[in-house]
């Protein structure tokens, strides 16, 4: 640690190298014992006494040297060096027998629990019993004799539970405690935490060994924690807790009532003033909020530990801006201090923390937010009820494109099947709509319009439920909800200068503005209609990077024409269906181009397989079979079933979709391009500035793109000729198949832009069907550490990322001005945004709700690159 | 052409450059006219007369300069330069008016048909009418007057059909004919042919222009074709046809009866002797069978054209060996002259050509051969009937793993659905069993045990059909079949020296032996059981490169245990199911290792998704719904349906399978490895030399492999300890996911060998589900030229191949002694074998029946690389 001239007890550090050897070999490195000896000899020399020597014992603490606290990591062990022999020496030396036995019982308790793995409750129960016998609840009422007896009890517990004596050899205590810290790095909870927080497993931890100072030496001693500013709001002031005549863990264990830190001023003015001064020194040094552990030993203040403190998302923003205003950091550094993850947290409404309702089910937190509404079981009811002013939660086993209107109408979506990238999850995130999916305890019975919880409660259509998309909890009844002021700010309903939540909105505003000036990458939105487009603009989108056109083939009015299109067995019927769809889709584009006037709109031609527009094969087969059994066959169902059979695919994701459809169904892509071109021409004639771009999905080889390009150019020329309007519409392709990435150099010959479809690319590169694999084995894979985070959440740099990089380079080699972007969900993921910046993409496109996150992270990425360049 | 001192009429050649400009721009290159002029001026100077000049016309022929004949390419146009003016000049000059008008009517006819695109039948009908009017069928009976009238008729036809006059300007005739050759390169039929024959589209053709010599100048003139040896058998001798007083196309058009070439000796001994001498010169020059076109003009022999001649597969082998024996070529060159495709043709039985039965349906030629048998509609009947000595053809809409035993029992498989890579096709090819699939005209009704042909004929179970897997034809009734002597040779039932089919077997034997001495790559077999393994050994396999273990989970006895395994919800049930399977699977391996004693056997652990071992979801849902409607629910079906629902996947190919199963189902892979190890130990104790290798499927990241490796090593250690046998079993992985290829450098750290699974790799690299895409859009893709050949048939070098190359290099960089092989179907495809040789693989593995092809092509590839090295 940098020497800041603080009163720190002497000690030494065992470096992380030893930990790494532990990780690799699973056992103590042979050199470790020697390393400890070397440090210990020096320390004993400095202190003029030996570890645990009987007459005048040197005592030490052992704690993890990790830069962050981590669940499952070994707690600190204090008073190492005490034994049956040295406890009397400590009593004599301190002139305080009670203190000596209090310290010894603490050692046996802490060592027993954290190093030897004895259940901590056994010690606590024995302590309670001792207090109970004295008729008190305050441990200070226990005398030296009581504590001596307690030590015996504790040692008996150790003996019984571990089959060995509590080690009396001081050096053995030290070594075991140090080994235990290293071992705890690899415990299940620590591994899980690191995986969740994306901390590398091989980072390792150091171990700090520190001479003891004692807060349990009497009324003039004590221990406390302090924060340089309020970690939940960022407000500067005196925050913390103090406890007299106590050792470290007593403060947080809550065995006695702590005092507010401010009260220390009256108890020990000198130490208080010194602490205030030290807090100021630390904050100036770290230029950030610090948390501090300290001990006062007989009126002398000692610093035990300090770290940059954890804080809430809101505090992170506020503190960063406060530090700028105090001149401690600049805006670049402030931007570096906040994350997209924190911003995302601030953007969702939350259930009011006063609620005491218990969840009835835990699903997957698929799309954050807090949604309350009446349960409905189908899209039709969702739309009907929401039109009459009801808030509804759409509950399904799983969703499919048929449910789209219902999902739009609902406040939230709850499914009993599917993972974080199921249809429900993906679409909900795209709409910024709360979603809990895969709540497998719920038995959803859509036919009878009810679901049943694990404990047998039955919820009927119209009952109210509340779902929390941030943690996957499902509640019965209404839980009160608080809106997000940050969203109100982005939506424009709250002014940037509004003074709410201690300046939160102002802080967000300043850091977003700075991110926008720093970032190189443009941020666009994935938006399919005018409403999403308008919202995206409010959130700062600089265009649309992905307008899916699937929805233009759905809806009551269009469904019939789409069925005609699919069932057509001759050109005439097909053309008729297409020309019925043309004016409707042109209308969609008119609205969209108006909403995004002056900004690029990348339209992806039809992508999904056709059977998605027809009924499910199993449901339909059952219906037909039952009708036949009743001798009441339905002609239309039979005809449909035939078509469904014909279009049925074993693996539809790898079947007839995307550009393949465009090449196999004559006129389909032509109709879409015509609708785009006619809408653009009409907008131009009306004085607008439409900027459509046409994007071809699922291209695997340049020949496909060339054939589609020919048709597009023909249609564009016709529309230009018939309207007299000059249209310059770029044509590009998705890069979402490994083959497209591998042959990107060839494909760039026919494409004016690439948009990486990293969702599909992840699916094909890994051989993962996202609808299937998350539910079936991703949990196991995360638990086994096969990956630290789902590759659908954060881009897999080694695999998918390597192909993105390869394709970007090959594409630019063929066509230096090739525009490169990404429109998979990764476009709004913080880590992935950094990757896309690094490989030189021009833009990321993400769902409207994630745009602020992408803007922030694109700014942070630019700063980090600049920083690493100048290093 | 090399000057061999042959009597060749003077002329010139327009190079392929002009053709390439045609291909790129779609129109005549501006420089072409000048290029023609330059050549023409020189030719006219040499001949001392001008093209089509009225008094003494120079006449020329125009023909394609392509090195091979190609359907749809423009036929030769003779007599260019004749017009209303020059025809009289020709008459005067030759003193033969009939000849002049005969030549002119031929010009108008040929030019009209091939250059102007008039339907040729119109001319032929008019010619027939003229002959009919004269009461003859011999065109020689037409007088000059008749022919003059016919020219008028022909010119009227041209005028009527094209709206233009027959061009009288000689130079215009020449230019149009040249352009027409170039245009015909891009005609539909030519493109299709090139695609089938894998001739590059941009190769282009030259055009040869040649001064005319006339075979129609009287009895002392004529035209003929000759072969230096018999193209259907390879026998040396005088083969060909001659026709007096005729022009080129008359010989093949068959308008008059031709004479055997030998008869020319009596008609014109001088020309005959000269021709024999020239044929000898040509064969010595080309060191191969040549075909020759010649004309005799008033007793003088002229050579018009010669090419290396086409031949049958059998002749190719025989001729190659004959030429070696004659000292014209060496064995390397002989091996280069035959192909794996020809060898494959020789290995299938064929329907006797005398058969006049008409096919009732055309399916896809999925696996060659000629099979005859009684129709059965399910696996059970197939097995039962075949056990009682019947030959059966298994007829299904499509097949699945349930049908395996039936497929093994059947002579051939006929399906109405699925493409060349459907389950039926893949498995049938693997078994070397005849298969016609996707015969969509057939309506298969398995429930009522019948199928119906397009014309309404109903075929019931037990009726006999014959299917031709070489061309996809389906016949009713029995068509006689001839066995292949080449297969009898490989099977060992025919001696290598057996003198059948003119030395065919001897020729095959000599060339196979030479290929074996030349090839660097080892050839292994894909074989799952002892029977296949033994056959593979007879065919020359040097081990097994892929033993699939799926079948070890099928069959009456095992099915129940596998169901228990899948439905188990606790460790005990699962372990019980696994230990019931262990001895059965150990037995399978014992047989296999015995059959492949001393050679490596690569066993792939379980790969397919679990639901493949359960009933189909739609069929089961219908059954359950119907039972419910009858109020007669089946408990077991209900329980199964629940499991099937749970395991149901949207895209099973990208779901829970391969290594994922091994990691998610505790003990599964361990049981398989134990069965392998125990079998190997038992074989060793019995004095055998088992050499198993364990292969993990569907690995995407090295962590998966490491986890499986840990388990395998644990099991191996246990088996070694309990049996006391030392086992050295290599562990490797399939590279069949793009991510595995991209991160091969990492994966090689945990793998001792890579086997490229190019089937699955093709699926994921292209995003193709082979079960779906071939049927739905491959036809369209082939027609549009998006690819020339299915990437499932021949490896896609630019995409899939690039990843194979990348992975091979990265793997070897990590582990220089990494063994590399391929076990996808491409391992037996000639072109792909060459690719695998080029990228340095150590072995290819293919189905037993394809092993000779792979051996031959691996030898050819080695020779070609050596050849190109020494160039």
């Amino acid at each position: 640690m940098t020497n800041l001239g603080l009163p720190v007890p002497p000690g030494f550090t065992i470096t992380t190298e030893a930990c790494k050897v532990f990780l690799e070999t699973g056992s103590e490195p042979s050199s470790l014992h020697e390393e400890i000896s070397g440090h210990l000899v020096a320390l004993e020399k400095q202190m003029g006494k030996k570890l645990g020597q009987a007459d005048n014992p040197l005592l030490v603490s052992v704690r993890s040297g990790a830069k962050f606290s981590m669940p499952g990591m070994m707690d600190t062990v204090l008073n190492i060096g005490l034994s049956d022999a040295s406890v009397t020496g400590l009593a004599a030396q301190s002139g305080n027998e009670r203190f000596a036995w209090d310290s010894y019982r603490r050692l046996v308790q802490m060592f027993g629990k954290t190093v030897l793995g004895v259940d901590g409750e056994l010690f606590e129960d024995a302590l309670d019993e001792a207090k109970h016998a004295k008729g008190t609840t305050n441990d200070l009422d226990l005398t030296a004799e009581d504590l001596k007896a307690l030590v015996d009890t504790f040692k008996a517990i150790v003996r019984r539970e571990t089959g060995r004596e509590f080690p009396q050899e001081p050096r053995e205590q030290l070594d075991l405690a140090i080994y235990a810290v290293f071992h705890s790095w690899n415990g299940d909870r620590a591994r899980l935490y690191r995986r969740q927080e994306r901390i590398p497993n091989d980072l390792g931890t150091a171990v700090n060994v520190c001479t003891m100072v004692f807060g349990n030496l009497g009324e003039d001693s004590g221990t406390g924690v302090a924060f340089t500013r309020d970690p939940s709001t960022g407000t500067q002031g005196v925050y913390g807790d103090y406890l007299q005549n106590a050792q470290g863990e007593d403060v947080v264990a809550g065995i006695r009532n702590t005092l507010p830190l401010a009260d220390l001023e009256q108890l020990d003015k000198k130490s208080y003033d010194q602490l205030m001064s030290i807090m100021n020194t630390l904050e100036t040094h770290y230029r950030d909020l610090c948390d501090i552990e300290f001990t006062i030993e007989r009126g002398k203040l000692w610093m035990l530990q300090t770290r940059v403190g954890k804080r809430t998302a809101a505090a992170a923003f506020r503190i960063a801006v406060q530090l700028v205003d105090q001149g401690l950091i600049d805006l670049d550094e402030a931007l570096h201090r906040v994350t997209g993850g924190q911003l995302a947290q601030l953007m969702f409404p939350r259930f009011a923390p006063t609620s005491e309702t218990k969840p009835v089910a835990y699903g997957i937190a698929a799309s954050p937010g807090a949604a309350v509404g009446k349960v409905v079981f189908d899209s039709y009811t969702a739309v009907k009820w929401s039109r009459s002013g009801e808030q509804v939660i759409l509950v399904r086993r799983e969703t499919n494109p048929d449910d789209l209107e219902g999902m739009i109408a609902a406040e939230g979506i709850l499914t009993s099947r599917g993972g974080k990238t199921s249809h429900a999850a993906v679409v909900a995130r795209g709409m910024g709509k709360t979603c809990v999916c895969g709540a497998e305890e719920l038995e959803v019975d859509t036919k009878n319009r009810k679901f049943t919880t694990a404990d047998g409660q039955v919820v009927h259509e119209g009952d109210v439920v509340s779902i929390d998309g941030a943690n996957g909890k499902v509640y019965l009844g209404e839980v009160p909800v608080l809106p997000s002021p940050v969203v109100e700010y982005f939506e424009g309903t709250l002014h940037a200068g509004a003074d709410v939540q201690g300046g939160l909105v102002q802080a967000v505003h300043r850091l977003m503005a700075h991110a926008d000036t720093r970032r190189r990458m443009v941020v666009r939105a994935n938006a399919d209609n005018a409403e999403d487009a308008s919202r995206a603009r409010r959130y700062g989108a600089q265009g649309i990077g992905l307008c899916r056109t699937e929805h233009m083939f759905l809806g009551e009015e269009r469904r019939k024409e789409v069925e005609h299109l699919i069932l057509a067995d001759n050109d005439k019927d097909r053309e008729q269906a297409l020309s019925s769809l043309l004016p409707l889709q042109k209308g969609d584009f008119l609205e969209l181009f108006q909403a995004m006037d002056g900004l690029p709109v990348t339209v992806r031609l039809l992508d999904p397989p056709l059977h998605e527009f027809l009924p499910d094969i199993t449901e339909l087969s059952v219906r037909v079979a039952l009708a036949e059994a009743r001798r009441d066959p339905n002609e239309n169902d039979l005809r449909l079933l035939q078509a469904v059979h014909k279009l049925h695919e074993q693996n539809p994701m790898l079947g007839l979709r995307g550009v393949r459809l465009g090449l196999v169904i004559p006129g389909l892509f032509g109709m879409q391009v015509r609708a785009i071109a006619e809408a653009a021409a009409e907008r131009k004639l009306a004085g607008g500035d439409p900027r459509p771009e046409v994007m071809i999905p699922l291209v695997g080889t340049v020949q496909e793109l060339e054939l589609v390009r020919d048709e597009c150019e023909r249609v564009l020329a016709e529309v230009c000729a018939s309207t007299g309007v000059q249209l310059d519409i770029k044509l590009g392709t998705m890069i979402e198949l490994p083959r497209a990435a591998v042959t990107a150099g060839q494909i760039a010959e026919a494409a004016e832009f690439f948009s990486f479809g990293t969702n599909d690319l992840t699916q094909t590169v890994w051989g993962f069907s996202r609808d299937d694999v998350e539910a079936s084995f991703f949990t196991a894979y995360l638990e086994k550490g096969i990956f630290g985070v789902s590759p659908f959440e954060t881009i897999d740099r080694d695999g998918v990322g390597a192909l993105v990089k390869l394709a970007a380079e090959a594409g630019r080699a063929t066509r230096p001005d090739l525009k490169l972007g990404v429109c998979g969900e990764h476009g709004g993921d913080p880590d992935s945004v950094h990757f896309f910046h690094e490989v030189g993409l021009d833009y990321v496109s993400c769902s409207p709700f994630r745009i602020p996150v992408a803007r922030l992270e694109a700014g942070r990425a630019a700063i980090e690159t600049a920083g690493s360049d100048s290093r």
Side-chain angles (χ1 to χ4, degrees), chain A:
Chain A
M1 193 202 277
T2 324
N3 185 353
L4 301 173
L6 307 182
V8 177
F12 59 85
T13 299
I14 304 295
T15 66
T16 55
E17 291 315 306
C19 183
K20 288 182 183 172
V21 178
F22 261 77
L23 292 177
E24 278 170 23
T25 64
S27 61
E28 301 89 47
S30 52
S31 61
L32 183 57
H33 190 81
E34 269 175 58
E35 192 184 342
I36 296 171
S37 298
H39 285 293
L40 188 58
V41 166
L43 184 64
E44 288 173 336
K45 197 169 161 195
Q46 184 187 351
M47 302 299 294
K49 49 186 180 179
K50 291 200 177 300
L51 181 69
Q53 75 183 55
D55 53 344
N56 181 20
L58 171 64
L59 302 185
V60 298
S61 66
V62 167
R63 70 180 74 204
S64 156
K67 287 192 179 158
F68 31 79
S69 60
M70 196 186 289
M73 276 299 285
M74 202 192 80
D75 291 335
T76 308
V77 180
L78 304 179
N79 309 332
I80 284 177
L82 277 181
S83 64
D84 296 351
S86 63
V87 66
T88 51
L90 184 65
Q93 178 211 17
S94 64
N96 186 336
E97 199 181 359
R98 186 194 176 283
F99 153 71
W101 285 102
D102 184 49
S103 299
Y104 193 21
R105 75 91 187 158
R106 284 172 190 269
L107 171 64
V108 180
Q109 179 172 4
M110 279 188 277
F111 194 95
K113 178 181 167 192
T114 60
V115 179
L116 301 177
V118 176
D119 181 355
E121 281 193 24
L122 297 173
F123 298 111
E124 280 158 30
D125 290 349
L127 176 60
D128 286 345
E129 212 169 293
K131 287 191 282 188
H132 187 69
K134 297 284 285 189
T136 179
T137 59
N138 189 335
D139 61 307
L140 294 180
D141 293 333
L142 297 177
T143 64
E145 277 311 305
D146 296 334
L147 291 164
K148 201 168 168 178
L150 204 54
V151 166
D152 285 340
T153 310
F154 280 11
K155 288 199 290 191
I157 291 172
V158 167
R159 194 180 309 120
R160 194 182 69 225
E161 296 293 314
T162 67
R164 61 165 292 177
E165 293 294 330
F166 173 77
Q168 290 294 327
E169 179 55 51
R171 178 58 197 273
E172 191 186 359
Q173 292 173 7
L174 178 63
D175 285 2
L176 290 177
I178 289 172
Y179 298 163
V181 173
F182 289 147
H183 277 301
S184 71
W185 176 266
N186 242 0
D188 288 346
R189 283 179 61 209
R191 292 174 68 97
L192 186 68
Y193 177 83
R194 289 199 297 275
R195 219 178 279 136
Q196 288 163 344
E197 298 296 317
R198 302 175 197 175
I199 298 164
N201 262 325
D202 61 356
L203 189 63
T205 181
V207 178
N208 290 324
V209 177
C210 204
T211 51
M212 284 299 302
V213 289
F214 299 98
N216 55 342
L217 267 170
E219 293 295 306
D220 56 352
S221 301
T223 188
V225 297
F227 298 92
T228 59
R229 54 186 79 215
D230 185 341
S232 66
T233 65
T235 318
Q236 274 187 298
V238 184
Y239 297 95
D241 299 286
Y242 183 69
L243 190 60
Q244 281 178 290
N245 200 3
Q247 268 197 333
E249 79 281 17
D250 294 349
V251 180
V252 283
I255 54 162
R256 280 176 274 149
N257 285 335
T258 57
L259 303 171
L261 186 59
D263 291 2
L264 180 62
E265 188 167 15
Q266 279 142 30
L267 292 174
D268 184 348
K269 177 93 169 84
K270 191 179 122 249
S271 294
Y272 179 78
D273 288 347
Q274 194 187 358
L275 180 63
M276 289 304 115
S277 157
I278 286 171
M279 281 165 65
N280 197 38
T281 303
L282 288 172
E283 215 187 63
T284 308
H285 177 75
Y286 287 107
R287 300 176 303 140
D288 207 345
L289 175 151
C290 296
D291 75 17
I292 293 162
E293 292 178 27
F294 65 92
T295 279
I296 296 174
E297 184 184 81
R298 291 184 172 156
K300 174 159 177 56
L301 176 70
W302 293 94
M303 304 306 295
L304 299 185
Q305 179 163 293
T306 187
R307 291 183 172 124
V308 168
K310 295 198 169 179
R311 68 207 70 184
T312 63
F317 276 84
R318 278 186 300 240
I319 291 172
V321 168
Q322 285 162 14
L323 293 171
V324 171
D325 290 341
Q326 288 174 247
L328 287 171
I329 61 175
D330 63 11
L331 270 169
D332 275 5
E333 179 61 27
L335 188 54
H336 179 68
R337 296 270 179 95
V338 295
T339 68
Q342 290 166 332
L343 181 60
Q345 279 181 44
L346 295 174
M347 288 179 66
F348 290 103
R350 303 193 156 215
F351 286 122
T354 52
S355 159
E356 289 185 359
T357 324
K358 281 239 174 143
V360 293
Y362 297 83
I364 293 166
S367 179
V372 179
K374 291 186 174 173
V375 169
V376 293
F377 291 93
D378 64 73
S379 194
Y380 177 79
T381 313
V383 172
K384 200 175 66 175
W385 288 20
S386 97
R387 280 201 185 132
S388 65
E390 303 275 11
Q391 295 197 332
V392 300
I393 304 288
L394 180 64
V395 181
R396 305 278 297 164
R397 288 193 66 207
E398 56 196 330
T399 63
N400 64 45
D402 272 347
D403 299 316
L404 201 71
E405 294 189 15
M407 294 173 77
I408 293 169
E411 292 299 302
I413 296 111
L414 170 61
T415 70
S416 61
R417 283 195 56 177
K420 264 208 163 169
T421 50
S422 62
H423 180 266
V426 171
V427 175
R429 279 203 292 280
M431 299 192 294
K433 192 146 289 194
T434 303
C435 176
V436 171
C437 64
E440 297 187 346
E441 300 146 295
L442 301 182
E443 206 178 291
V444 176
D445 180 358
T446 51
K447 213 178 356 178
N448 296 307
R449 301 182 171 275
K450 64 175 184 183
F451 71 80
T452 312
T453 67
D455 59 356
Q457 297 185 71
V458 179
V459 177
H460 295 279
E461 191 158 79
D463 292 351
V464 172
V465 297
S466 302
I467 60 173
D468 190 336
N471 54 28
K473 290 178 182 170
V474 180
Y475 305 91
L476 300 190
E478 180 175 348
V479 181
V481 172
L482 303 173
S484 155
V486 172
V487 167
E488 292 175 312
Y489 152 67
F490 285 125
E491 285 286 0
T493 54
L494 199 61
H495 189 263
D499 186 16
V500 293
Q501 288 198 19
L504 174 62
V505 166
Q506 293 157 329
V508 168
H509 174 71
R510 281 174 67 186
L511 292 177
M512 291 304 298
H514 188 63
D516 286 344
T517 64
R518 294 299 254 135
R519 67 190 159 90
R520 179 182 57 68
M521 286 198 296
V522 163
V523 175
R524 296 201 201 169
N526 299 347
D528 306 345
N529 52 51
E531 194 185 326
D532 282 359
S534 301
R535 166 184 251 192
R537 265 195 116 137
R538 291 197 297 274
Y539 281 43
Q542 296 158 288
I544 290 179
L546 173 63
C547 165
R548 302 173 197 86
T549 52
E550 290 83 289
H551 67 102
M552 299 184 185
F553 292 82
L554 293 171
E556 209 49 53
E557 187 179 11
R558 303 174 186 200
R559 158 128 308 183
K560 200 173 287 173
E561 292 305 335
V562 172
E563 262 186 38
H564 285 162
L565 174 64
I566 296 174
L567 303 180
D569 55 4
N570 60 66
D571 289 347
K572 202 180 136 228
D573 290 357
R574 194 179 301 112
E575 280 160 21
Q576 204 157 42
L578 286 171
S579 41
S580 307
L581 288 167
L582 178 66
L584 302 171
Q585 303 204 351
K586 179 180 163 186
D588 297 335
F589 287 121
L590 270 174
E591 289 175 17
L592 193 65
F593 297 158
Q594 187 154 23
M596 271 289 161
D597 197 64
L599 293 175
V601 174
T602 305
V603 180
R604 182 179 72 184
L605 302 190
L606 192 65
D607 184 50
L610 293 181
H611 58 73
E612 286 200 9
F613 302 101
L614 297 178
D616 172 75
I617 189 167
T618 300
E619 281 175 28
L620 191 59
S621 298
V622 168
R623 197 160 77 209
V624 165
L626 289 174
E628 271 176 5
R630 285 193 311 270
R631 297 185 196 288
D632 178 24
N634 176 314
E635 271 308 313
N636 196 47
D637 275 0
L638 282 170
R639 218 168 53 98
L640 263 179
L641 184 59
Q642 220 171 2
V644 168
H645 264 294
K646 207 174 131 194
L647 293 172
H648 182 65
E649 294 181 311
Q650 298 296 321
N651 297 285
M653 227 205 65
L654 307 179
L656 182 57
R657 46 175 286 244
V659 67
R660 303 161 189 179
L661 276 180
L663 291 170
V664 164
I665 302 183
L668 174 62
F669 277 10
M671 181 278 286
Q672 292 196 284
V673 171
R674 188 177 297 276
I676 293 166
E678 287 185 2
E682 194 168 318
R683 286 286 310 145
K684 274 206 172 179
L685 289 171
D689 181 12
R691 302 193 182 174
E693 303 175 334
V694 171
M695 181 158 75
I696 312 301
L698 213 70
V699 165
T701 175
V702 66
Q703 285 90 338
E704 293 171 317
L705 195 58
E706 285 168 352
L707 288 168
V708 173
R709 172 176 275 286
D710 288 351
E711 185 173 7
C712 290
E713 284 173 356
R714 191 181 49 71
V715 170
L716 284 180
E718 281 173 23
V719 175
C720 289
S722 69
T723 60
V725 176
Q726 194 50 40
L727 294 170
D728 174 28
I729 300 183
K730 283 195 165 56
L731 187 105
T733 182
M734 302 276 291
I735 300 288
E736 53 184 340
L737 289 174
R739 196 177 191 284
V742 171
T743 64
Q746 294 169 19
I747 291 176
E749 286 169 14
E752 286 162 279
F753 62 88
F754 283 175
S755 180
F756 290 95
T758 53
N759 292 1
D760 271 18
L761 194 57
T762 300
Q763 298 198 78
T764 44
V765 167
W766 280 91
F768 284 161
S769 161
R770 62 184 185 192
D771 293 331
D772 299 315
V773 294
E774 285 222 338
S776 63
F777 63 84
F778 264 34
T779 317
Y781 266 42
L782 288 165
E783 276 168 9
K784 289 176 197 290
I786 293 171
F787 29 69
V789 55
S790 159
F792 290 114
E793 213 170 295
T794 294
I795 193 153
D796 151 38
R797 288 179 178 234
D798 288 354
V800 179
L803 285 177
V804 169
K805 190 158 178 287
L806 186 97
E809 285 165 4
R812 285 244 169 89
T814 298
R815 188 189 285 256
D817 65 343
L818 185 74
K819 196 163 51 166
L820 298 174
V822 63
C823 64
E825 278 178 80
H826 295 118
D829 169 70
D831 278 12
S832 310
V833 168
H834 285 242
F835 174 78
F836 297 133
H837 174 84
E838 285 161 29
V839 298
L841 301 200
D842 297 306
Y843 69 88
V844 295
S845 185
C846 56
S847 59
F849 208 67
R850 288 185 151 204
I851 285 167
V853 172
R855 285 164 56 201
L856 189 82
E857 291 290 355
R860 294 185 70 222
I863 286 169
E864 279 167 25
T865 316
S868 70
D869 285 353
S870 66
R871 253 168 234 158

